[in-house]
Amino acid sequence: MPQTPRKLGEIFVRRKPESVSQAREMVRDLLGANHPAYEQARLVVSEITTNAVEHSESGPVGDLVMVVLKVVNDFVYVEVTDPGSASRKPHLQECSPLYAESGRGLFIVDEISAGNWGVRDFGPGGRTVWCAIPADPSNADCSPVAPPPALP
């Protein structure tokens, strides 16, 4: 029987590079460094928030980015909502040069989440990039197939 989604917390940050470390700190504060999925959650939050900071544009809510952590069944869901961009859409790069300094963020997210990630586009209202990672990566036999459910 599916569990009711439980929001661990959220943070609003400005769309600037320093905000990525604030988002990582939120993961530590909400999950704790001893949580089995801590490192994976911290890394995907870092990658998705970095993309939001670097590739979105100012929107109706200005330069705010919202990072949310949820727990549903045996998964930790990460959602990062940003103002979006008319010219750029989140996508996996075909390949990045071996020594490139960028271009691997969503590839990392895709690997950690075993392909359980996606984008909800709200047009001029922004977009949310989400992913689901096993709450216990050592026991990762099942995979979600849907975006994170809405909270009641």
Side-chain angles (χ1 to χ4, degrees):
M1 181 169 167
Q3 294 176 352
T4 302
R6 182 171 53 100
K7 184 192 279 187
L8 298 178
E10 68 185 20
I11 185 174
F12 288 88
V13 296
R14 293 267 173 220
R15 200 174 50 84
K16 56 185 183 177
E18 307 86 69
S19 297
V20 178
S21 63
Q22 290 176 296
R24 285 192 301 261
E25 288 173 17
M26 179 195 77
V27 175
R28 185 193 63 230
D29 294 344
L30 295 175
L31 281 182
N34 293 324
H35 190 282
Y38 169 70
E39 290 296 336
Q40 291 86 351
R42 187 173 181 264
L43 182 54
V44 298
V45 162
S46 184
E47 294 298 336
I48 299 173
T49 304
T50 296
N51 283 352
V53 165
E54 291 183 1
H55 301 297
S56 65
E57 300 165 353
S58 292
V61 293
D63 287 336
L64 291 179
V65 172
M66 180 176 67
V67 182
V68 177
L69 283 182
K70 296 178 185 176
V71 174
V72 182
N73 297 331
D74 296 327
F75 293 90
V76 174
Y77 280 88
V78 172
E79 296 177 301
V80 178
T81 303
D82 64 52
S85 170
S87 61
R88 295 180 173 174
K89 304 288 182 209
H91 65 281
L92 286 174
Q93 299 240 350
E94 289 296 319
C95 65
S96 292
L98 184 58
Y99 298 106
E101 292 184 16
S102 64
R104 293 188 191 93
L106 287 178
F107 176 77
I108 292 168
V109 171
D110 187 64
E111 287 294 311
I112 290 173
S113 70
N116 292 301
W117 71 277
V119 180
R120 289 190 307 261
D121 196 337
F122 307 114
R127 68 174 166 232
T128 297
V129 177
W130 65 270
C131 77
I133 57 175
D136 185 354
S138 66
N139 187 20
D141 293 338
C142 55
S143 295
V145 293
L151 292 168

